[in-house]
Amino acid sequence: MPPSPPSLPRRVAGVLRTSLFAQVACALVLGIVVGRLWPGFASDLQPLGDGFTRLIKTIISPLVFCVVVVGIAKAGDLKAFGRIGLKALVWFEVASTLALVIGLVAANVVQPGAGMHVDPATLSSKAVDAKTGGGSLPTTTEFVLNALPTSFIGAFAENSLLQVLVLACLVGAALLHLGNTRVPQVLPAIEQAQEIIFAIVGFVMRLAPIAVFGAMAVLIGQYGLGVIETYAKLIVLCYVAAALFIALLAVALRVVTGLSLWKFVRYIREELLLALGTASTESVLPRVMQKLRKAGARDDAVGLVLPTGYSFNLDGASLYLSIGTLFIAQAVGVDLSLGQQITVVLVLMLTSKGMAGIPGSAFLALSATASSLGAIPAGAVALLLGVDRIMDSMRVVTNLLGNCVAVFAVSRWEGALDVVRAKQVLDGEAAAVAEEPAGTPAEELVPEG
C-alpha cells in the first residue's frame, strides 16, 4: 500500500524549511503586519536589517577581488578584459540615458506634480540637509581620483568597490605576466579563498528572513501606508515607468543573447525578494555574482561588469531622478522649457555616476540639478522626503536587473557567455552542470613574458 501524502501543514513546513524564497516572503508579510500594528516596537528592529547588511558588506570586497583576479588569470588575455570594461561603460551610458529620457517623457505626459500649487516659501532645505548629512557629490576629478587606491589594505577597509577592482586588475595582470610556472601557488590559493567566501555567503544568507522582517517593519512603522495615498500619482508613475524600462531590457536581452529576462527573474527570485525587503542591492551582490557565473557568464565578465555597474549603471535611480525633478518643478509651478529639460538629462548623466554609497545621494543629485537650472527653489527637493523610501523598491529592482542584463549582454558581445548553458540553467535543466562556474582551468595559465 503506497504511503499517504503528507498533510498540508507538513508540506508548508517543508517548504518553509527548504525554500529561501518562501522564508523571505513570509518575513516580508510579517514585517508589514508588525510595522502596521505596532509601529513603536517596529522602530526598535532597525538593527536586524543593519546587522545583516554589515555582514554582507564585509564579504563583498574580498569576493570581488577574488572573482576578478581568477577571471583575468583564467581568461589569459588582459586585452579582452579591457574590451569588456569599455563595452560595459558604453552599455551603462546608453542604458542610464534611456532611463533618464523615459522618466522625463513619462513626467511630461502624466505631470504628477501638477495642481499641487506648493508655495516655495513654506519649504525649508534643513530637512534635506539632515537627510544628506551636509555632504556633497564628488566632482568628476574627485570621482576618478577616489577610484584609485592609496593603499592595498585601505581599499578593502573602506569597502570601495572601484578601488578593489583596480587592485584586482593589477594583481590579475601580474599573474598573467609571471605565469603559472613562476607563481604556481598564488592562483590556487585565491581560488580557495573564493570558495571560502562563498561558503560564508551561504551562512550569512540564512539570516536573510530576519533582516527582511526587521527592515520592512521599520519602513511601515516609520512611514505608514498613508504616504502612498498622498503621493499615489507619483508612485504609480515611477513604478509604471520602471516596468516599461524593464520590458525594454527584456527585449534587449532577447535580441542580444536570446535569453528570457522573465526566466532570469524566476532564477534569482530569492535575491530579488531579499533586495526588495532590505532596500539594498549590495545585500545580494555575492549571491547574484555566483548565480551569473553558474548561468554561463565568464568569471572576468561577471567580476568586472556587475560591481562596476553598482557605481555606473543606476538605471532605477536615473528614472527616479528625472521624474522627481519634473515633479518638484510642477509642484511649485515652474514650467521647464525643452532646453532646461535637456539640461536636466545632461546634469543627471554626470551626477548619477557618483551616487553609490553616499548618504542621501538622490537628494544631493536633485539639489545639484535644481541649482544648475536656477529655476527651482532648493527647498523644493524636500517635497520628496516623504516618498523617497517608498521608491527604494523600484530603484533596487531596476538597478539590479539592469546590471544583470548588462553582464549577459557584454559577455555575449565579447564571446564570454555560454548561451547553451545559460538557457539550460534558466530553464532549470542544468542544476548539476551549473554547479561549476564557466571558465578555463587554472592549469592553462601561461606566462606572457
Side-chain angles (χ1 to χ4, degrees):
M1 182 176 179
S4 59
S7 62
L8 180 60
R10 286 191 175 184
R11 291 201 299 269
V12 172
V15 171
L16 287 176
R17 186 172 61 253
T18 59
S19 171
L20 178 63
F21 180 81
Q23 294 170 5
V24 172
C26 289
L28 195 71
V29 174
L30 188 58
I32 293 174
V33 172
V34 170
R36 184 72 177 90
L37 298 179
W38 302 286
F41 169 72
S43 63
D44 296 330
L45 300 177
Q46 184 76 40
L48 296 180
D50 290 348
F52 177 81
T53 304
R54 285 185 175 222
L55 288 174
I56 289 293
K57 286 184 176 181
T58 302
I59 302 166
I60 289 176
S61 290
L63 176 61
V64 169
F65 178 82
C66 291
V67 170
V68 172
V69 171
V70 172
I72 294 176
K74 285 186 174 182
D77 186 359
L78 196 60
K79 292 181 180 178
F81 193 72
R83 289 197 304 269
I84 290 173
L86 180 60
K87 291 173 181 178
L89 291 177
V90 172
W91 180 278
F92 293 159
E93 195 56 51
V94 171
S96 57
T97 302
L98 177 62
L100 287 170
V101 172
I102 289 176
L104 283 181
V105 171
N108 275 293
V109 172
V110 178
Q111 297 196 347
M116 293 186 69
H117 305 298
V118 176
D119 183 2
T122 63
L123 301 173
S124 172
S125 60
K126 291 182 179 179
V128 176
D129 292 338
K131 177 78 173 179
T132 59
S136 61
L137 292 174
T139 63
T140 302
T141 303
E142 291 172 341
F143 181 74
V144 173
L145 288 177
N146 289 340
L148 303 177
T150 55
S151 73
F152 201 100
I153 303 300
F156 291 89
E158 296 172 5
N159 216 20
S160 173
L161 278 185
L162 291 181
Q163 293 184 12
V164 170
L165 278 173
V166 171
L167 289 173
C169 292
L170 293 174
V171 173
L175 282 175
L176 281 179
H177 176 71
L178 294 173
N180 195 42
T181 56
R182 297 173 65 180
V183 283
Q185 298 179 354
V186 174
L187 184 60
I190 295 176
E191 287 184 297
Q192 292 168 18
Q194 178 179 276
E195 293 304 316
I196 293 172
I197 295 169
F198 275 127
I200 296 173
V201 171
F203 297 151
V204 175
M205 288 302 294
R206 295 179 182 179
L207 303 174
I210 299 175
V212 169
F213 166 71
M216 189 54 58
V218 171
L219 169 63
I220 301 301
Q222 286 184 350
Y223 295 95
L225 300 176
V227 68
I228 297 178
E229 298 177 4
T230 305
Y231 290 92
K233 195 173 182 180
L234 174 63
I235 294 171
V236 170
L237 175 61
C238 285
Y239 278 82
V240 170
L244 172 61
F245 180 79
I246 291 172
L248 293 176
L249 283 179
V251 172
L253 182 64
R254 175 71 73 177
V255 170
V256 176
T257 68
L259 301 178
S260 168
L261 181 61
W262 316 121
K263 290 181 180 179
F264 179 73
V265 168
R266 183 180 61 191
Y267 176 57
I268 62 164
R269 59 187 180 275
E270 292 94 348
E271 291 73 26
L272 277 174
L273 199 59
L274 175 58
L276 278 170
T278 58
S280 169
T281 52
E282 285 188 338
S283 64
V284 297
L285 175 59
R287 285 262 300 197
V288 172
M289 288 182 70
Q290 191 176 26
K291 285 199 166 183
L292 287 169
R293 293 165 69 236
K294 288 181 178 179
R298 208 167 65 195
D299 284 8
D300 53 344
V302 175
L304 179 62
V305 178
L306 190 63
T308 306
Y310 273 54
S311 294
F312 286 91
N313 193 40
L314 303 175
D315 297 327
S318 298
L319 269 171
Y320 171 64
L321 289 173
S322 56
I323 293 175
T325 301
L326 262 66
F327 169 78
I328 59 178
Q330 293 162 2
V332 297
V334 174
D335 185 19
L336 297 180
S337 65
L338 178 60
Q340 288 174 314
Q341 293 192 32
I342 293 175
T343 301
V344 168
V345 173
L346 295 176
V347 172
L348 290 177
M349 282 173 60
L350 296 175
T351 56
S352 62
K353 298 298 182 290
M355 290 173 53
I358 299 176
S361 55
F363 291 96
L364 291 172
L366 286 168
S367 298
T369 306
S371 299
S372 66
L373 295 174
I376 304 175
V381 178
L383 286 171
L384 291 172
L385 281 171
V387 76
D388 182 69
R389 184 65 177 82
I390 304 296
M391 298 297 187
D392 277 343
S393 298
M394 178 274 292
R395 291 194 295 245
V396 162
V397 171
T398 310
N399 288 344
L400 182 59
L401 290 179
N403 285 322
C404 290
V405 169
V407 172
F408 280 125
V410 174
S411 297
R412 177 65 169 168
W413 196 358
E414 184 57 30
L417 176 66
D418 187 338
V419 178
V420 174
R421 177 184 181 143
K423 289 181 178 179
Q424 289 176 335
V425 172
L426 297 189
D427 287 336
E429 299 173 357
V433 176
E435 287 302 317
E436 293 295 332
T440 307
E443 289 77 15
E444 295 185 14
L445 178 64
V446 294
E448 285 193 347

mmCIF file of all heavy atoms in Angstrom, residues 341-364:
data_model
loop_
_atom_site.group_PDB
_atom_site.id
_atom_site.type_symbol
_atom_site.label_atom_id
_atom_site.label_comp_id
_atom_site.label_asym_id
_atom_site.label_seq_id
_atom_site.Cartn_x
_atom_site.Cartn_y
_atom_site.Cartn_z
ATOM 1 N N GLN A 341 14.981 70.984 -19.850
ATOM 2 C CA GLN A 341 14.842 69.541 -19.624
ATOM 3 C C GLN A 341 16.022 68.777 -20.210
ATOM 4 O O GLN A 341 16.453 67.762 -19.658
ATOM 5 C CB GLN A 341 13.526 69.052 -20.223
ATOM 6 C CG GLN A 341 12.308 69.606 -19.497
ATOM 7 C CD GLN A 341 11.022 68.906 -19.910
ATOM 8 O OE1 GLN A 341 11.014 67.723 -20.226
ATOM 9 N NE2 GLN A 341 9.922 69.647 -19.893
ATOM 10 N N ILE A 342 16.563 69.249 -21.319
ATOM 11 C CA ILE A 342 17.787 68.647 -21.857
ATOM 12 C C ILE A 342 18.937 68.850 -20.885
ATOM 13 O O ILE A 342 19.765 67.953 -20.670
ATOM 14 C CB ILE A 342 18.119 69.255 -23.235
ATOM 15 C CG1 ILE A 342 17.051 68.841 -24.258
ATOM 16 C CG2 ILE A 342 19.505 68.817 -23.704
ATOM 17 C CD1 ILE A 342 17.207 69.486 -25.617
ATOM 18 N N THR A 343 18.959 70.028 -20.257
ATOM 19 C CA THR A 343 19.974 70.284 -19.227
ATOM 20 C C THR A 343 19.830 69.305 -18.067
ATOM 21 O O THR A 343 20.825 68.823 -17.512
ATOM 22 C CB THR A 343 19.848 71.730 -18.707
ATOM 23 O OG1 THR A 343 20.008 72.640 -19.790
ATOM 24 C CG2 THR A 343 20.910 72.013 -17.649
ATOM 25 N N VAL A 344 18.589 68.997 -17.696
ATOM 26 C CA VAL A 344 18.340 68.025 -16.640
ATOM 27 C C VAL A 344 18.990 66.685 -16.978
ATOM 28 O O VAL A 344 19.675 66.072 -16.155
ATOM 29 C CB VAL A 344 16.822 67.838 -16.418
ATOM 30 C CG1 VAL A 344 16.552 66.622 -15.540
ATOM 31 C CG2 VAL A 344 16.222 69.086 -15.788
ATOM 32 N N VAL A 345 18.790 66.223 -18.219
ATOM 33 C CA VAL A 345 19.375 64.946 -18.644
ATOM 34 C C VAL A 345 20.899 64.994 -18.572
ATOM 35 O O VAL A 345 21.554 64.078 -18.050
ATOM 36 C CB VAL A 345 18.919 64.594 -20.075
ATOM 37 C CG1 VAL A 345 19.658 63.357 -20.591
ATOM 38 C CG2 VAL A 345 17.423 64.347 -20.111
ATOM 39 N N LEU A 346 21.480 66.079 -19.081
ATOM 40 C CA LEU A 346 22.942 66.191 -19.103
ATOM 41 C C LEU A 346 23.526 66.231 -17.696
ATOM 42 O O LEU A 346 24.542 65.584 -17.404
ATOM 43 C CB LEU A 346 23.355 67.440 -19.891
ATOM 44 C CG LEU A 346 23.000 67.440 -21.385
ATOM 45 C CD1 LEU A 346 23.367 68.771 -22.025
ATOM 46 C CD2 LEU A 346 23.693 66.287 -22.094
ATOM 47 N N VAL A 347 22.884 66.997 -16.811
ATOM 48 C CA VAL A 347 23.386 67.092 -15.432
ATOM 49 C C VAL A 347 23.257 65.751 -14.714
ATOM 50 O O VAL A 347 24.188 65.293 -14.041
ATOM 51 C CB VAL A 347 22.632 68.199 -14.660
ATOM 52 C CG1 VAL A 347 23.005 68.162 -13.175
ATOM 53 C CG2 VAL A 347 22.955 69.569 -15.237
ATOM 54 N N LEU A 348 22.102 65.110 -14.879
ATOM 55 C CA LEU A 348 21.884 63.828 -14.195
ATOM 56 C C LEU A 348 22.769 62.724 -14.758
ATOM 57 O O LEU A 348 23.120 61.783 -14.045
ATOM 58 C CB LEU A 348 20.416 63.422 -14.297
ATOM 59 C CG LEU A 348 19.439 64.268 -13.481
ATOM 60 C CD1 LEU A 348 18.006 63.809 -13.711
ATOM 61 C CD2 LEU A 348 19.776 64.197 -11.989
ATOM 62 N N MET A 349 23.160 62.813 -16.028
ATOM 63 C CA MET A 349 24.094 61.841 -16.590
ATOM 64 C C MET A 349 25.420 61.869 -15.843
ATOM 65 O O MET A 349 26.092 60.844 -15.684
ATOM 66 C CB MET A 349 24.328 62.128 -18.078
ATOM 67 C CG MET A 349 23.202 61.670 -18.995
ATOM 68 S SD MET A 349 23.427 62.201 -20.710
ATOM 69 C CE MET A 349 24.989 61.416 -21.106
ATOM 70 N N LEU A 350 25.795 63.042 -15.354
ATOM 71 C CA LEU A 350 27.045 63.182 -14.608
ATOM 72 C C LEU A 350 26.855 62.883 -13.121
ATOM 73 O O LEU A 350 27.592 62.091 -12.542
ATOM 74 C CB LEU A 350 27.609 64.600 -14.781
ATOM 75 C CG LEU A 350 28.033 64.998 -16.205
ATOM 76 C CD1 LEU A 350 28.443 66.465 -16.241
ATOM 77 C CD2 LEU A 350 29.176 64.115 -16.684
ATOM 78 N N THR A 351 25.844 63.510 -12.509
ATOM 79 C CA THR A 351 25.684 63.369 -11.058
ATOM 80 C C THR A 351 25.287 61.954 -10.649
ATOM 81 O O THR A 351 25.663 61.496 -9.564
ATOM 82 C CB THR A 351 24.638 64.361 -10.536
ATOM 83 O OG1 THR A 351 23.404 64.175 -11.243
ATOM 84 C CG2 THR A 351 25.097 65.798 -10.734
ATOM 85 N N SER A 352 24.540 61.237 -11.508
ATOM 86 C CA SER A 352 24.105 59.895 -11.131
ATOM 87 C C SER A 352 25.257 58.905 -11.072
ATOM 88 O O SER A 352 25.141 57.844 -10.452
ATOM 89 C CB SER A 352 23.052 59.384 -12.128
ATOM 90 O OG SER A 352 23.589 59.285 -13.431
ATOM 91 N N LYS A 353 26.394 59.233 -11.693
ATOM 92 C CA LYS A 353 27.538 58.314 -11.690
ATOM 93 C C LYS A 353 28.294 58.333 -10.360
ATOM 94 O O LYS A 353 29.020 57.414 -10.053
ATOM 95 C CB LYS A 353 28.510 58.684 -12.822
ATOM 96 C CG LYS A 353 27.907 58.569 -14.204
ATOM 97 C CD LYS A 353 27.495 57.136 -14.516
ATOM 98 C CE LYS A 353 26.945 57.003 -15.916
ATOM 99 N NZ LYS A 353 25.631 57.633 -16.108
ATOM 100 N N GLY A 354 28.108 59.373 -9.568
ATOM 101 C CA GLY A 354 28.854 59.437 -8.314
ATOM 102 C C GLY A 354 27.998 59.213 -7.087
ATOM 103 O O GLY A 354 28.370 59.593 -5.978
ATOM 104 N N MET A 355 26.835 58.569 -7.261
ATOM 105 C CA MET A 355 25.869 58.460 -6.172
ATOM 106 C C MET A 355 26.106 57.285 -5.246
ATOM 107 O O MET A 355 25.728 57.320 -4.075
ATOM 108 C CB MET A 355 24.448 58.347 -6.756
ATOM 109 C CG MET A 355 23.928 59.612 -7.393
ATOM 110 S SD MET A 355 22.344 59.340 -8.225
ATOM 111 C CE MET A 355 21.377 58.582 -6.918
ATOM 112 N N ALA A 356 26.699 56.220 -5.751
ATOM 113 C CA ALA A 356 26.776 54.970 -4.991
ATOM 114 C C ALA A 356 27.497 55.164 -3.669
ATOM 115 O O ALA A 356 28.595 55.726 -3.599
ATOM 116 C CB ALA A 356 27.492 53.904 -5.817
ATOM 117 N N GLY A 357 26.864 54.687 -2.597
ATOM 118 C CA GLY A 357 27.496 54.679 -1.285
ATOM 119 C C GLY A 357 27.480 56.002 -0.549
ATOM 120 O O GLY A 357 28.056 56.110 0.542
ATOM 121 N N ILE A 358 26.828 57.036 -1.088
ATOM 122 C CA ILE A 358 26.792 58.347 -0.441
ATOM 123 C C ILE A 358 25.426 58.537 0.197
ATOM 124 O O ILE A 358 24.400 58.419 -0.478
ATOM 125 C CB ILE A 358 27.062 59.480 -1.463
ATOM 126 C CG1 ILE A 358 28.449 59.303 -2.090
ATOM 127 C CG2 ILE A 358 26.941 60.844 -0.814
ATOM 128 C CD1 ILE A 358 28.759 60.310 -3.167
ATOM 129 N N PRO A 359 25.358 58.830 1.509
ATOM 130 C CA PRO A 359 24.062 59.015 2.174
ATOM 131 C C PRO A 359 23.256 60.138 1.537
ATOM 132 O O PRO A 359 23.779 61.217 1.267
ATOM 133 C CB PRO A 359 24.466 59.378 3.616
ATOM 134 C CG PRO A 359 25.841 58.818 3.785
ATOM 135 C CD PRO A 359 26.497 58.947 2.435
ATOM 136 N N GLY A 360 21.970 59.861 1.274
ATOM 137 C CA GLY A 360 21.110 60.882 0.692
ATOM 138 C C GLY A 360 21.523 61.317 -0.689
ATOM 139 O O GLY A 360 21.252 62.446 -1.097
ATOM 140 N N SER A 361 22.160 60.406 -1.448
ATOM 141 C CA SER A 361 22.717 60.785 -2.748
ATOM 142 C C SER A 361 21.640 61.254 -3.721
ATOM 143 O O SER A 361 21.898 62.140 -4.542
ATOM 144 C CB SER A 361 23.491 59.611 -3.346
ATOM 145 O OG SER A 361 22.663 58.461 -3.428
ATOM 146 N N ALA A 362 20.440 60.664 -3.651
ATOM 147 C CA ALA A 362 19.377 61.090 -4.566
ATOM 148 C C ALA A 362 19.035 62.560 -4.353
ATOM 149 O O ALA A 362 18.824 63.310 -5.317
ATOM 150 C CB ALA A 362 18.138 60.220 -4.365
ATOM 151 N N PHE A 363 18.991 62.988 -3.095
ATOM 152 C CA PHE A 363 18.660 64.389 -2.811
ATOM 153 C C PHE A 363 19.810 65.317 -3.186
ATOM 154 O O PHE A 363 19.592 66.455 -3.596
ATOM 155 C CB PHE A 363 18.297 64.549 -1.334
ATOM 156 C CG PHE A 363 16.995 63.896 -0.977
ATOM 157 C CD1 PHE A 363 16.974 62.628 -0.439
ATOM 158 C CD2 PHE A 363 15.798 64.526 -1.220
ATOM 159 C CE1 PHE A 363 15.779 62.006 -0.138
ATOM 160 C CE2 PHE A 363 14.589 63.926 -0.924
ATOM 161 C CZ PHE A 363 14.581 62.652 -0.383
ATOM 162 N N LEU A 364 21.043 64.828 -3.044
ATOM 163 C CA LEU A 364 22.179 65.625 -3.481
ATOM 164 C C LEU A 364 22.141 65.826 -4.992
ATOM 165 O O LEU A 364 22.400 66.924 -5.485
ATOM 166 C CB LEU A 364 23.492 64.937 -3.070
ATOM 167 C CG LEU A 364 23.791 64.892 -1.569
ATOM 168 C CD1 LEU A 364 25.004 64.018 -1.298
ATOM 169 C CD2 LEU A 364 24.036 66.301 -1.033
#
